[in-house]
């Protein structure tokens, strides 16, 4: 008794097996292109995404600039403006979490994720492509925000290479947080719930940090939380790379505050590794 193997019809190719680094990268880039085209066709999403961080820059610079006491600088509006900008940059990139979660939740709600899973594509490519597209949008937002910051008087004093390194850390943190958004988007039923779920925990994360005020100005029980906050590590690393710290600014004793650049990279890598694993696992079973 003999068996025969079915051959693909003329002019067609057999489906590819889901696996391999090359296929995973290719599939991820296709999905990223799809999401970028979608963003370009809905420009109001990008426009409204730029308005909020610009408002934060202007409001915090001119409303709170003359009332915050900085160690080593006192109440100095110009010093606070320089101190503030790294916090605004970091807050902006982390708020991309909500957009990532809402986009994935919308695709789930419309059944698009189920269609993607039926295709012979690499596991996780849909999520990787989505997060890469969000990273491009975040980079665009940072460029616009940096221009606004320059207009209100912010400057980077440590040279172009260190400034680029600071923005690189910000993009790495933003990319890490989009994976948290991806997991949230796969875990809720509607885009509205994903938006709320992506923001509700970001406010305490960003405000219980050194983004807007020094840890020394907080109650003692919050100082340790702020100093070990992943958000704080990136903010302090950027301030050092931008040269935006007052000359006599004290360094807290916590390890992340003593080694902010290394701590920022480690936190971001750990977040990516953990939440990408959880998100891909959730993607396999989500309906």
């Amino acid at each position: 008794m003999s068996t025969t193997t079915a051959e693909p019809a003329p002019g067609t190719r057999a489906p590819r097996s889901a696996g391999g680094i090359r296929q995973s990268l290719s599939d991820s880039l296709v999905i990223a292109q799809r999401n970028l085209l979608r963003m370009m066709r809905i420009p109001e999403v990008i426009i409204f995404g730029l308005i909020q961080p610009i408002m934060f820059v202007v409001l915090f610079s001119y409303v709170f600039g003359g009332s915050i006491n900085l160690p080593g600088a006192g109440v100095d509006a110009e010093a606070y403006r320089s101190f503030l900008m790294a916090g605004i940059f970091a807050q902006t990139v982390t708020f991309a979490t909500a957009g990532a979660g809402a986009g994935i939740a919308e695709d789930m709600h419309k059944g698009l994720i189920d269609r993607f899973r039926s295709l012979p594509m690499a596991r996780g490519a849909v999520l990787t492509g989505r997060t890469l597209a969000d990273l491009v949008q975040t980079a665009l937002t940072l460029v616009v925000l940096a221009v606004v910051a320059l207009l209100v008087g912010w400057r980077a004093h440590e040279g172009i290479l260190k400034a680029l390194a600071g923005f690189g850390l910000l993009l790495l943190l933003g990319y890490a947080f989009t994976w948290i958004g991806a997991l949230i988007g796969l875990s809720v039923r509607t885009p509205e719930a994903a938006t709320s779920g992506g923001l509700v925990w970001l406010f305490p994360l960003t405000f219980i940090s050194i983004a807007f005020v020094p840890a020394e100005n907080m109650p003692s029980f919050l100082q340790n939380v702020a100093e070990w906050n992943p958000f704080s590590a990136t903010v302090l690393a950027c301030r050092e790379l931008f040269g935006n710290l007052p000359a006599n600014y004290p360094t807290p004793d916590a390890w992340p505050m003593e080694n902010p650049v290394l701590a920022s990279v480690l936190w971001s890598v750990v977040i990516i590794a953990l939440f990408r694993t959880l998100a891909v696992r959730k993607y396999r079973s989500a309906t």
Side-chain angles (χ1 to χ4, degrees), residues 116-139:
F116 282 142
R117 290 196 304 175
S118 68
L119 298 175
M121 62 193 310
R123 296 183 184 274
V126 173
L127 302 181
T128 301
R130 174 74 208 198
T131 56
L132 289 175
D134 288 327
L135 180 63
V136 173
Q137 183 178 357
T138 300

Side-chain angles (χ1 to χ4, degrees), residues 20-250:
I21 296 177
R22 179 177 296 181
Q23 180 187 333
S24 179
L25 178 60
S26 176
D27 293 341
S28 297
L29 291 177
V30 170
I31 297 297
Q33 182 182 22
R34 172 252 178 192
N35 283 286
L36 287 172
L37 289 173
R38 183 183 180 188
M39 291 176 187
M40 292 174 61
R41 291 167 182 166
I42 314 176
E44 56 267 29
V45 174
I46 299 176
I47 294 172
F48 288 133
L50 293 172
I51 291 176
Q52 178 178 313
I54 291 173
M55 289 176 58
F56 270 107
V57 170
V58 176
L59 291 175
F60 273 84
S61 296
Y62 293 105
V63 175
F64 300 109
S67 58
I68 302 296
N69 182 32
L70 291 180
V75 180
D76 185 328
E78 183 177 350
Y80 180 71
R81 192 174 298 120
S82 295
F83 179 87
L84 168 72
M85 285 315 307
I88 295 293
F89 290 150
Q91 184 191 54
T92 300
V93 300
T94 54
F95 272 36
T97 302
I104 291 175
E106 183 180 7
D107 288 343
M108 287 282 296
H109 188 66
K110 293 179 177 179
L112 190 60
I113 294 295
D114 289 330
R115 298 176 194 173
F116 282 142
R117 290 196 304 175
S118 68
L119 298 175
M121 62 193 310
R123 296 183 184 274
V126 173
L127 302 181
T128 301
R130 174 74 208 198
T131 56
L132 289 175
D134 288 327
L135 180 63
V136 173
Q137 183 178 357
T138 300
L140 173 62
T141 303
L142 269 183
V143 170
V144 174
L145 195 56
V147 172
V148 175
L150 291 171
L151 292 177
V152 300
W154 171 79
R155 296 292 184 272
H157 303 288
E158 295 295 325
I160 185 65
L161 292 180
K162 287 191 175 181
L164 291 175
F167 284 113
L169 289 179
L170 289 167
L171 290 175
L172 182 62
L173 180 71
Y175 183 67
F177 274 60
T178 56
W179 280 106
I180 302 178
L183 180 61
I184 293 173
L186 291 168
S187 303
V188 298
R189 297 182 179 181
T190 64
E192 293 78 10
T195 302
S196 300
L199 290 175
V200 68
W201 60 275
L202 279 175
F203 281 101
L205 181 79
T206 54
F207 281 93
I208 306 177
S209 72
I210 61 169
F212 307 111
V213 297
E216 291 82 354
N217 294 7
M218 300 180 185
S220 57
F221 70 93
L222 286 181
Q223 289 185 15
N224 289 333
V225 177
E227 291 168 357
W228 284 89
N229 187 339
F231 189 82
S232 294
T234 299
V235 171
L236 183 56
C238 290
R239 284 175 181 152
E240 289 188 355
L241 292 169
F242 295 153
N244 290 160
L245 285 172
N248 298 319
Y249 188 82

